[in-house]
Amino acid sequence: MELESFTRAKVFGQPFLPTDFKLMVFFIQTSFWIYVEQIKGWVNYQYLESYSCPWGYLALARDVVIVYLVLGYLSRLFTSIRGYGVYKSLCMFFKKVNRQVFLTLLSLPPMNKKVEKELESVLAKIEEEIMQNNDDLLQFPQLPAKGITTERVLTELDNLQNLKHSDWINGKVSGAVYHGGKSLLDLQSEAYHKYSVANQLHPDVFPGVRKMEAEVVSMVLKIFNAPETGCGSTTSGGTESLLLTGLAARQYGKTYRGITQPEVIAPVTVHAGIEKACFYFGMKLHKVDLDPKTYQVDIKKVERLINKNTVLLVGSAPNYPHGIIDDIEALSKLALKNKILLHVDACLGSFIVSFLEKSGVHDKGAIPLFDFRLPGVTSISCDTHKYGFAPKGSSIIMYRNSKIRECQYYVLSDWTGGMYGSPTLAGSRPGALMVGCWATLVNIGEEGYTKSCRDIVRTSMKLKYAIQGNEILSKYLEVIGNPIGSVVSFKVRDNVNDFSIYALGDLLGKKGWHFASLQNPAALHFALTRLTIPIIDELIGDIIESTEHLVEENEKHGDNKKKDVGDTAALYGVAGSVTTSGVADKVIVAFLDTLYKI
Ligand SMILES: *Cc1c(COP(=O)(O)O)cnc(C)c1O
């Protein structure tokens, strides 16, 4: 049975032939008249004779190409149906067509004008929010002719820090700053100060930095129960770790399995960094739905999508949106059975998920395996700059063995500039940041991380149980899945339809809380940090108060979902609708442009 399904996966792999729609249309168009003649011939049972005209050989060659292309399309269709089923394949196809149609419509003059106008007003709001500036600040659209004094630079840095911003210091922001303690910050600044010239590109100049980097990787590998062969490297952050695991999987598939059209299978909840890896490195990404009960990736659907071009499976421990750990054990079995690499994204889980067992917050049975103890797991990413409390710009990518790690290396032996090699995406790397990470890890130690895990998770469980147990909250809200770590997200109950979760988020925003907004389904998420621990009761109280307020408003004025749509709801309304999803893309581009406006 197992063997059979594996063979089937091999045979009905991805398109075994390349497809080229334009080429096919070109052939059909340019030789339309020949077809007319041929069809006349076929009707009279003169099939072969129809090729015996002076153009016969050309016509035959053309038909061979067309049959080849049509077969390519059929195999693609077949693969899609095998992976997604008929219904979902049709839905995906129509969604694609729909989007294209609406994008075209939106670019036509009358609609175009309207979209531009809408965009302008959104843009004005974005600019107002993020382009903080004032007349008291020095302005540098270009380099000052003469440098300003050190004292002036330092006071200006203070002035810039005092611009209006979300206040993380009081713990009201989801994620962002994970530790925030003064003595740790002092240690990290001192470490940076001592090593600000260090560059990991030059281990001969900075041997101490090399030793520290090797130790950081080794320490984190032990935390994730890597085997003796385990290895890894430090990176600039979770996204770089995910890019590298994607690159390594692509190269591994190419080198050891001859795969030239690589595909990745990941849950819809996977971090954007995996999509970015597929975008950068030319891989096709299959995004798999969740099990509606557990909110973990649907394992059966993952299995159906595996084919001979699959180079990587991905699961999260836990994922960013919902804080839910996928069934990594089942993914590990699938990976072993099909001989595919499996990456576990523990960027967010970091030193929370890996310390859960030691922390004793949950019963042992309630904590699933997710690390290298599962034999199918071939790589894990862990952000030391999240719950490892290291300075920003620090993450670890780990592999089961060096054969896989080698696939992320860049090697250039015949460069005019000398023999060159670099382990990660960057060339020069800021050694000082890595030193800050090392200093943090050895300063906090196993005991410290166990305690912070215990304190943070106890607090997030308090939030989870409050939403599930409080009378008014449990009537309107629902925790998504069963989070056991530091992230809790919640949505409006399915049987409630006059309550907007985004309106709740906006209301909490007015009280200073900074929740992250999610979509599909609309929900709010909070990643608890050490700074949230002392104010958890205030957080729960404010959620209750805001929910009561919205319910009262509804009773007075009717449905708040339709009436007076808040900014967040409006934005996600735009993003969620097929007819306007193209506009949402433009909003994001405008936002990114704004980052560089002076
Ligand atoms: C934060 C995060 C990442 C990586 O994000 P960076 O901002 O690049 O550090 C990856 N995966 C998950 C689940 C995350 O939460």
Side-chain angles (χ1 to χ4, degrees):
M1 179 62 207
E2 273 184 20
L3 184 73
E4 190 213 45
S5 74
F6 182 47
T7 328
R8 206 169 44 205
K10 281 212 140 150
V11 176
F12 298 135
Q14 243 312 103
F16 46 91
L17 300 173
T19 51
D20 192 326
F21 193 66
K22 279 189 188 142
L23 191 65
M24 192 163 79
V25 171
F26 173 76
F27 270 118
I28 295 176
Q29 273 177 350
T30 50
S31 55
F32 184 71
W33 61 275
I34 304 188
Y35 277 113
V36 175
E37 289 306 310
Q38 282 182 328
I39 288 170
K40 276 189 209 154
W42 293 342
V43 172
N44 299 322
Y45 303 101
Q46 295 167 340
Y47 178 74
L48 283 177
E49 279 93 287
S50 68
Y51 286 106
S52 65
C53 62
W55 292 93
Y57 286 115
L58 275 181
L60 191 64
R62 176 211 60 202
D63 284 357
V64 168
V65 173
I66 288 180
V67 167
Y68 180 82
L69 292 175
V70 168
L71 278 179
Y73 274 103
L74 282 180
S75 77
R76 221 161 108 168
L77 181 71
F78 211 76
T79 313
S80 173
I81 290 175
R82 181 182 154 265
Y84 292 105
V86 176
Y87 179 70
K88 179 102 198 261
S89 297
L90 276 176
C91 287
M92 283 163 62
F93 177 72
F94 280 118
K95 208 169 156 190
K96 224 171 164 176
V97 173
N98 236 337
R99 191 182 144 89
Q100 211 48 53
V101 168
F102 279 106
L103 277 181
T104 316
L105 282 181
L106 288 178
S107 68
L108 296 177
M111 283 304 284
N112 187 3
K113 276 237 172 71
K114 210 171 153 215
V115 170
E116 291 289 314
K117 224 168 150 193
E118 286 277 302
L119 265 180
E120 255 167 45
S121 74
V122 176
L123 193 61
K125 256 184 209 155
I126 294 176
E127 286 188 7
E128 188 190 318
E129 190 130 325
I130 62 175
M131 282 180 63
Q132 301 291 335
N133 202 340
N134 65 50
D135 295 341
D136 299 334
L137 290 175
L138 298 176
Q139 306 292 333
F140 294 107
Q142 71 232 348
L143 205 58
K146 231 174 145 188
I148 55 174
T149 64
T150 309
E151 291 78 48
R152 192 66 188 89
V153 173
L154 291 173
T155 42
E156 192 63 7
L157 288 180
D158 288 335
N159 296 342
L160 285 159
Q161 208 153 37
N162 291 332
L163 284 172
K164 188 179 140 243
H165 60 282
S166 303
D167 200 0
W168 58 264
I169 215 117
N170 55 20
K172 288 185 153 185
V173 179
S174 164
V177 179
Y178 292 81
H179 190 283
K182 169 134 182 12
S183 60
L184 182 64
L185 209 58
D186 288 344
L187 171 67
Q188 290 169 347
S189 308
E190 187 65 26
Y192 194 97
H193 184 72
K194 284 184 196 294
Y195 283 86
S196 62
V197 295
N199 183 350
Q200 283 137 289
L201 193 62
H202 306 296
D204 50 336
V205 187
F206 307 104
V209 175
R210 189 214 64 82
K211 174 176 177 289
M212 284 185 264
E213 178 171 16
E215 286 178 352
V216 164
V217 173
S218 173
M219 285 188 268
V220 180
L221 279 165
K222 294 272 163 21
I223 293 171
F224 283 86
N225 295 300
E228 277 300 302
T229 52
C231 60
S233 51
T234 67
T235 72
S236 63
T239 300
E240 188 182 350
S241 293
L242 295 180
L243 289 177
L244 286 169
T245 205
L247 175 64
R250 189 189 77 171
Q251 291 312 102
Y252 193 87
K254 193 169 169 185
T255 311
Y256 299 106
R257 288 173 54 211
I259 295 173
T260 52
Q261 296 183 58
E263 295 184 8
V264 176
I265 304 176
V268 287
T269 42
V270 84
H271 191 267
I274 286 290
E275 300 224 37
K276 204 173 180 180
C278 293
F279 173 68
Y280 279 8
F281 302 129
M283 297 188 283
K284 180 168 175 173
L285 175 63
H286 292 286
K287 288 204 281 184
V288 188
D289 293 332
L290 308 177
D291 179 314
K293 278 213 188 67
T294 60
Y295 283 83
Q296 294 172 312
V297 66
D298 187 326
I299 297 294
K300 286 225 176 66
K301 290 188 177 166
V302 172
E303 180 159 25
R304 277 168 50 186
L305 282 162
I306 294 174
N307 65 48
K308 69 180 173 56
N309 286 331
T310 311
V311 291
L312 182 69
L313 304 182
V314 187
S316 313
N319 60 45
Y320 167 83
H322 309 143
I324 300 299
I325 304 176
D326 286 312
D327 187 350
I328 307 293
E329 199 167 340
L331 286 174
S332 162
K333 281 185 188 145
L334 272 187
L336 281 181
K337 189 170 119 189
N338 294 288
K339 301 196 175 68
I340 304 172
L341 301 182
L342 167 62
H343 179 76
V344 174
D345 179 2
C347 284
L348 181 60
S350 160
F351 285 33
I352 293 288
V353 75
S354 52
F355 279 86
L356 271 182
E357 275 175 44
K358 286 199 186 76
S359 78
V361 183
H362 302 295
D363 295 337
K364 272 246 151 63
I367 307 168
L369 284 182
F370 57 86
D371 60 19
F372 285 114
R373 282 172 289 182
L374 295 171
V377 173
T378 52
S379 60
I380 302 180
S381 51
C382 164
D383 282 0
T384 29
H385 71 195
K386 285 184 180 155
Y387 292 98
F389 307 134
K392 276 287 177 236
S394 162
S395 168
I396 316 291
I397 176 70
M398 296 167 267
Y399 296 100
R400 183 168 284 280
N401 59 53
S402 54
K403 195 171 144 188
I404 314 175
R405 180 177 62 180
E406 192 186 324
C407 293
Q408 75 166 41
Y409 287 171
Y410 181 73
V411 175
L412 182 62
S413 52
D414 62 354
W415 182 34
T416 329
M419 302 241 277
Y420 183 91
S422 78
T424 59
L425 294 181
S428 286
R429 288 186 292 155
L433 284 185
M434 208 287 304
V435 175
C437 175
W438 181 88
T440 308
L441 294 193
V442 297
N443 183 238
I444 296 179
E446 189 174 294
E447 207 179 354
Y449 284 116
T450 309
K451 181 173 176 343
S452 67
C453 169
R454 187 182 304 128
D455 294 347
I456 291 171
V457 176
R458 274 197 185 140
T459 311
S460 63
M461 291 304 103
K462 218 168 158 180
L463 175 60
K464 172 170 99 171
Y465 295 136
I467 297 170
Q468 290 171 338
N470 176 280
E471 199 183 336
I472 178 124
L473 293 188
S474 63
K475 194 168 155 204
Y476 289 91
L477 304 175
E478 178 183 327
V479 173
I480 292 185
N482 180 32
I484 59 169
S486 58
V487 174
V488 175
S489 45
F490 50 95
K491 63 184 189 81
V492 173
R493 278 195 169 283
D494 288 338
N495 57 358
V496 176
N497 40 32
D498 60 349
F499 191 99
S500 157
I501 197 77
Y502 296 137
L504 180 62
D506 288 344
L507 207 55
L508 285 161
K510 291 200 182 109
K511 293 182 193 288
W513 296 100
H514 203 294
F515 279 71
S517 306
L518 314 174
Q519 50 182 342
N520 314 318
L524 295 179
H525 133 150
F526 205 90
L528 285 88
T529 68
R530 274 173 50 97
L531 295 165
T532 331
I533 297 170
I535 51 168
I536 184 63
D537 292 329
E538 189 188 338
L539 173 59
I540 294 170
D542 280 351
I543 300 177
I544 296 175
E545 206 182 290
S546 303
T547 306
E548 279 170 347
H549 178 82
L550 280 179
V551 172
E552 272 169 31
E553 286 286 297
N554 273 357
E555 278 163 7
K556 266 192 249 159
H557 309 292
D559 197 338
N560 73 24
K561 218 169 163 184
K562 295 191 196 92
K563 241 184 65 208
D564 188 25
V565 182
D567 288 350
T568 318
L571 195 60
Y572 280 95
V574 165
S577 141
V578 201
T579 51
T580 48
S581 60
V583 181
D585 291 6
K586 287 190 177 167
V587 172
I588 299 175
V589 171
F591 166 78
L592 296 176
D593 285 346
T594 310
L595 297 178
Y596 300 98
K597 282 196 182 145
I598 57 165

